[in-house]
Every structure is written in C-alpha cells, then in structure tokens.
Amino acid sequence: MGQPNLLAPADVPALSVRFWLLAVATGVLAGLAGAALMVLLHAAAHLTYSYRSGDFLTAVEQAGAARRVVALAAAGAVAGIGWWLLRWWTGPGGSEVSTALWRDEGRLPLRRSLGTAVLSVVIVGMGASLGREAAPRLTGAALASRLSDWAHIGTAHRRLLAACGAGAGMACVYNVPLGGALLTLEAMLGVLSLRLALPALVTSCIATAVSWTVLPTGPTYRLPNVGVSASLTVFAVLIGPVAGLAAVGWVRMIRIAHRHRPTGSRLLVMPLLVFTVVGVLAVPYPQLLGNGKDIVQLTLGAQLAAPALVALLFLKPLATAGSLGSGASGGLFTPTVATGALLGSLAGQGWTHAWPGPAAGFAVIGAAAVLAAAMQAPAAAVVLMLELTRTIDALMVPLLFAVCGAMLVSRRLDTPSIYSVRLPAQ
C-alpha cells in the first residue's frame, strides 16, 4: 500500500541542541496558538447561537429551525468569500499539512496557513460539519516551518519539526499528549522509533501543558463506568471487520469530495449552497451541526434511538464530505470518531438483544475501529480514544480486537488514510 510516509529514522540526522530548542519553542507556540483558536471557535459559536453557557447542541436546538438554516448559510458565505479572498491575497500554493510533509519538504506559507486556520475554526463554530483539529494542526506545522526557516535547519529536521508541530496542535486542543505524539509518528511520519518519538512527545506534552492555562484539563467525553465484559469482547471481534468496511467507504467518500473541490469563482458559490443544504437537514437533525462531539456524547449515554442512529450514520458523513467538497477547509478527526460511534452504538443496540452489554462500550469500540482504519494508525487510534474518555482497563482488550479486525480489512482493500487521500495528484 503506497502510503506516502515521510522518512525512516536512519534518514534523520542526529538531533542537535539547536533542534531541541526549536522543538521546545514549537511546543510553546503550538499550545498558545491552539488555545487562541479554541477561544475563537467558542466565541463564534456563542455569537452565532446566542448562548453563554451549556453545550453546543443544546444551544443549536434552542436557537430554532430557521436560525440553523440562516447560520449555516452565513457560514457558507464566510467560507466562500473568505477563502477566495485568501487565495487572491496570498497567491498560489497550498496549506495542507500532509502535502507539506510528504511533497514540499515541510514548508508551509505562514500567512496562508494562519488565514486558513482562522476561517476554519470560525465556520466550525458557526456549525459547519467539519472537525476543529485541522486549524491547530495546520498552525502548529506552519509555526514550526517558520522556526525552521529562521534557524536554517536541513530538510529532514524541517519535516520532523513540522510534523511535531502538527501533532502538538492536535494534542493541546483535545488534551491528548500521548495520542498527539503517536499521531505524529504513525499518521504523519509513518514510523515508530525512539529518535523520532522523543521530539514528538516533547512538543505534544509542552503544547498540552501550555494550553491548560486556557483550555479545560478534563476528558473530552464523559463515559459511565464500563466493567470488563465478555459481551463487549465478542462484539469487538465481530464489529472490527464491519468497521473496516465502513472506514473504507468513508475514505473513498473523502477522496471523491476532495477531487471535486471547486476552483476560481465557483468557490464563492459552492460553500453557500452546500452549507445551506446542511442547515436544512439540521432542521430535523440538529446533531449534524458542528464537528460531531455531541453525537459521540449522545451515543456514549445511549440517548439516540435506532431510527436516529441510522439517519445520522448516513447523514453525518455525507454532510462532512459535502462540506469538504464545497471547498471549505476543516478536519476529519471528530467526524470520523462520530461515524464510528454511531456504527458501534447501532450495532450494539442489536447485539444487546442476544447478549446484553454496556452501551458506552459499544460506541467507543466502534469509534476506535473506524478511526484506526481511516487514519491507518492503529496505535494512535487506541491511545486517542483512551485519552479522550480517560478509560483504560476494561476496554483495552476489546478495543485492540476491533482495531485489528478493522485494520486487516482496510489493508486488504488497499485503503489509504484520510490524510494521504487528500494529496493532490502528481
């Protein structure tokens, strides 16, 4: 499988004192930038839906049907006009982390990247069905790239530092330092080694600690107590291949959407049209708005009936792929987790008729399996789900079974990751 991973450990020269100083600086800057971007995201959400406290979904539901449609239409207008003006202002060039790491020697244009990040978090705050992690990942990598320019370090070190900056940006906004480091290694560098692991861990830990000055320190998802269960273990073995097939379909959907992204003046119109359609779909299903965090929380609490699970399992990936295909820039991490949680919860509702088990466990297992196969990063996916929920002992074995099954299917079908599938054609 032709995953365009970065480089082998032997290709990275020894890390000098100067590089370690740059790694520390990258962690600090990524943490500050991540915190600032999340403040901006919450400000956009509170302004759009007129609320001061409580969760995003409650605010969306209380805002009413008409406001959902208007808010998404406004987000589409901001996206279209904003990115059209940004491209006009900054000129040609991209701002994709994967492209920079694997094809552009780790170089990212700072103005283009920061502008893209700001627009991305604003529209996600307004309700766009995209992930929030793309902005801090891009900002962390771009700041690392600028530090590399200033320090005049070599290409291998530049790529490594940019990857560490991207992982640190992800780590700080989700409070997942170990998961962010593993994401750097597996998804962006494509290799686990001590030489590469240490800078990844350092930058992610520093960024997370810095972000604690502003962002919450608790788990992203509240999970009820889940004990060791034979039902969950057998369920995980069976759901793994199904989750792998779902991840394959999801990645192919993203590939199609990315290949049909508009160019030129069409970028002014397509986000407005697609986002307005998503707003209309959010009239009966307000859970579609935002990155999918509330969907995951609802599945963990068994608060969605089977008909709603079926509808959201179809509509959430469609809304996210459509938003990406309209030309908007955003993340896929939480939408992928939400898709897996919906699949696991739906399958778990059927499974409990034969062998009862904890509903939260079904959702977490499905989320981890789909995430692993979609990212092509099994270790990172397991650790990320454990850090996001702060659950370790009871779910470790079932998670591993499900992830292994999903990975076997996705690799058998020669499926790339959601990151490499967005690379421009050569």
Side-chain angles (χ1 to χ4, degrees):
M1 185 166 49
Q3 292 287 81
N5 293 328
L6 181 57
L7 65 166
D11 296 329
V12 181
L15 304 181
S16 64
V17 173
R18 180 172 59 170
F19 179 88
W20 284 110
L21 292 174
L22 292 173
V24 170
T26 296
V28 172
L29 291 175
L32 292 172
L37 288 169
M38 292 306 100
V39 169
L40 178 60
L41 182 145
H42 294 139
H46 292 172
L47 179 63
T48 302
Y49 297 99
S50 299
Y51 73 106
R52 294 185 177 181
S53 61
D55 59 77
F56 179 76
L57 179 58
T58 300
V60 169
E61 291 173 335
Q62 292 176 349
R67 187 159 187 169
R68 294 172 210 163
V69 179
V70 172
L72 265 292
V78 169
I81 296 172
W83 271 298
W84 186 86
L85 289 174
L86 184 63
R87 292 179 185 181
W88 171 80
W89 180 45
T90 59
S95 54
E96 285 282 349
V97 174
S98 299
T99 303
L101 290 179
W102 298 332
R103 294 186 180 174
D104 296 337
E105 300 182 344
R107 297 181 185 277
L108 280 160
L110 188 61
R111 286 191 305 171
R112 179 73 163 265
S113 299
L114 294 182
T116 296
V118 168
L119 285 170
S120 179
V121 296
V122 167
I123 65 169
V124 172
M126 295 176 74
S129 183
L130 292 164
R132 63 177 180 168
E133 88 286 349
R137 283 181 67 244
L138 176 59
T139 302
L143 290 170
S145 177
R146 178 52 63 92
L147 285 174
S148 300
D149 289 337
W150 173 77
H152 302 290
I153 61 177
T155 299
H157 285 157
R158 171 192 294 277
R159 287 174 170 171
L160 175 57
L161 193 66
C164 290
M170 170 82 174
C172 71
V173 298
Y174 286 102
N175 196 21
V176 289
L178 182 55
L182 282 173
L183 190 69
T184 299
L185 297 170
E186 271 196 306
M188 286 178 269
L189 301 180
V191 64
L192 296 173
S193 80
L194 182 60
R195 181 183 292 181
L196 303 186
L198 289 177
L201 286 168
V202 166
T203 51
S204 289
C205 289
I206 291 174
T208 303
V210 169
S211 72
W212 285 342
T213 58
V214 176
L215 302 181
T217 59
T220 299
Y221 301 113
R222 300 177 303 277
L223 187 68
N225 185 41
V226 178
V228 177
S229 168
S231 173
L232 276 182
T233 303
V234 177
F235 172 82
V237 173
L238 297 176
I239 198 64
V242 179
L245 289 174
V248 171
W250 170 232
V251 171
R252 292 179 179 178
M253 188 183 297
I254 294 301
R255 172 191 282 152
I256 293 170
H258 199 264
R259 286 180 177 176
H260 290 84
R261 286 165 67 87
T263 57
S265 60
R266 293 178 62 235
L267 183 58
L268 291 166
V269 179
M270 290 304 297
L272 175 61
L273 295 177
V274 173
F275 280 39
T276 301
V277 171
V278 174
V280 172
L281 292 173
V283 172
Y285 297 105
Q287 303 91 342
L288 287 176
L289 299 190
N291 63 353
K293 176 184 176 181
D294 293 303
I295 289 178
V296 178
Q297 191 60 59
L298 290 172
T299 61
L300 295 176
Q303 295 175 268
L304 291 172
L309 289 171
V310 172
L312 290 173
L313 182 58
F314 172 74
L315 291 175
K316 183 60 178 178
L318 193 62
T320 300
S323 299
L324 183 69
S326 73
S329 179
L332 297 173
F333 174 74
T334 303
T336 302
V337 173
T339 300
L342 288 166
L343 175 65
S345 186
L346 179 62
Q349 285 194 12
W351 180 255
T352 52
H353 293 295
W355 196 348
F362 297 133
V364 172
I365 288 169
V370 172
L371 183 64
M375 296 195 309
Q376 291 295 304
V382 171
V383 171
L384 282 166
M385 290 309 303
L386 296 180
E387 283 190 306
L388 288 170
T389 60
R390 302 289 171 85
T391 303
I392 300 178
D393 295 338
L395 289 176
M396 178 63 79
V397 172
L399 280 182
L400 292 173
F401 274 130
V403 164
C404 288
M407 289 298 301
L408 286 172
V409 169
S410 66
R411 296 212 168 170
R412 179 67 178 174
L413 296 175
D414 198 32
T415 304
S417 72
I418 52 175
Y419 302 112
S420 61
V421 79
R422 297 166 68 177
L423 290 172
Q426 285 184 314

